Amino acid sequence: MAARVSTIWFLGGADARTELSKYPQPDQTEALKIAMSLYPDKEFESLGPQPLSIAATVSPGYVFVGAYGRVSVVCSSELSTFVPSKLPDSWHLSVEGGSTLLISSVPETAQGSFALWEDGELRRSFSAIPIDIVENLGIPQTWEREFWAGNHPLRYPPGILPDPQSLPFHPQQFAESANLEWLGFRYTGAPREHELDTTQILLWGFKIHRPGEAPKPAPPAPAPVPEQAPTEVPMPENLPPIHDAPVAKPRGRLARYFGFK
């Protein structure tokens, strides 16, 4: 997986693939509530809905949250950890009878990580770069078998010998397979049949600010004043008839000038 990914998913007893296949709209109020619980001493500037394909590549200073009832996801650069089991407790939101999934991929270091918690207990955690395993805890999942069997070997350019310590697979590809198995989609390439489309899964974005630095929302624009039709003034009735006043005829020289006799 060459894509940058920093996500943690909270599944409250729901099947993520089924819930996400409906492409539900994110709950803005719940998303802000989750963001505030993760960063209690910060303020937030709303960025509106963003697709997961962009949100998963989150940069420092931003957080993206998707809240869809029993399924929620948080994208934060703080989740690009080399040791998933050391993730701070503040990131483990309460999910009774559910699962928590961490997926991380860092192209600059070729690092891939994933972890699974069930009912708050860590069941599986893996993190590695192509020549070193950083963490490998718990019992491997069934879908991992073909990777450990060497069915997805690392590829090297012609003339480049593999490092003797190289893994039999690429850690980022390993993490993407965990994402596909648990959530039903990949971040690289076009969606295949029965795979979800990350451009259709929307999250609510927030820019993180220190207290007092978040921009204030603009005041609402004044309501337009409706235009009123001109009022017709009624004419008074029984007015006396209007007669032209007689014009006095000029006299003397002025009379002769105008042709009067």
Side-chain angles (χ1 to χ4, degrees):
M1 175 165 53
R4 175 181 296 279
V5 177
S6 298
T7 63
I8 190 166
W9 294 79
F10 307 99
L11 314 179
D15 178 74
R17 188 188 301 256
T18 300
E19 296 295 322
L20 294 174
S21 65
K22 304 171 187 175
Y23 297 113
Q25 291 297 311
D27 185 328
Q28 180 183 3
T29 301
E30 185 63 23
L32 179 58
K33 180 180 177 182
I34 292 174
M36 293 175 64
S37 70
L38 294 172
Y39 301 94
D41 58 342
K42 302 295 183 182
E43 293 182 354
F44 302 91
E45 175 186 354
S46 176
L47 304 177
Q50 302 288 332
L52 178 59
S53 55
I54 295 177
T57 67
V58 58
S59 300
Y62 296 83
V63 63
F64 294 86
V65 183
Y68 324 102
R70 295 186 298 167
V71 174
S72 56
V73 56
V74 176
C75 300
S76 168
S77 60
E78 296 182 40
L79 297 169
S80 296
T81 173
F82 267 109
V83 188
S85 64
K86 301 298 183 182
L87 191 69
D89 291 341
S90 60
W91 283 97
H92 293 274
L93 302 182
S94 177
V95 180
E96 296 182 1
S99 303
T100 300
L101 312 172
L102 171 71
I103 306 291
S104 172
S105 175
V106 183
E108 291 82 359
T109 58
Q111 170 236 338
S113 306
F114 61 85
L116 167 65
W117 290 265
E118 292 180 342
D119 297 325
E121 297 292 329
L122 182 64
R123 302 298 185 188
R124 180 74 175 112
S125 177
F126 178 87
S127 180
I129 56 177
I131 60 172
D132 186 28
I133 294 178
V134 178
E135 181 168 85
N136 187 20
L137 303 177
I139 300 175
Q141 302 282 296
T142 303
W143 60 266
E144 297 183 34
R145 185 179 305 161
E146 61 180 44
F147 284 89
W148 294 108
N151 296 338
H152 300 277
L154 285 166
R155 301 182 185 278
Y156 293 87
I160 301 298
L161 296 176
D163 189 291
Q165 300 183 53
S166 293
L167 276 66
F169 51 80
H170 197 295
Q172 288 185 281
Q173 186 181 6
F174 200 29
E176 175 141 83
S177 291
N179 197 94
L180 177 61
E181 178 69 23
W182 291 335
L183 300 169
F185 62 87
R186 295 172 299 115
Y187 287 97
T188 57
R192 299 168 184 162
E193 188 178 4
H194 305 306
E195 291 182 3
L196 302 180
D197 186 349
T198 58
T199 65
Q200 301 301 313
I201 300 174
L202 300 180
L203 290 74
W204 209 272
F206 300 97
K207 185 175 182 179
I208 305 172
H209 293 275
R210 289 183 294 184
E213 294 186 353
K216 302 300 181 183
V225 178
E227 295 184 359
Q228 296 182 351
T231 303
E232 294 185 0
V233 179
M235 295 295 293
E237 299 179 354
N238 302 322
L239 288 175
I242 299 176
H243 301 284
D244 294 335
V247 178
K249 295 182 179 181
R251 299 178 180 179
R253 292 181 181 177
L254 191 60
R256 290 194 296 270
Y257 178 82
F258 284 102
F260 288 96
K261 295 180 179 180

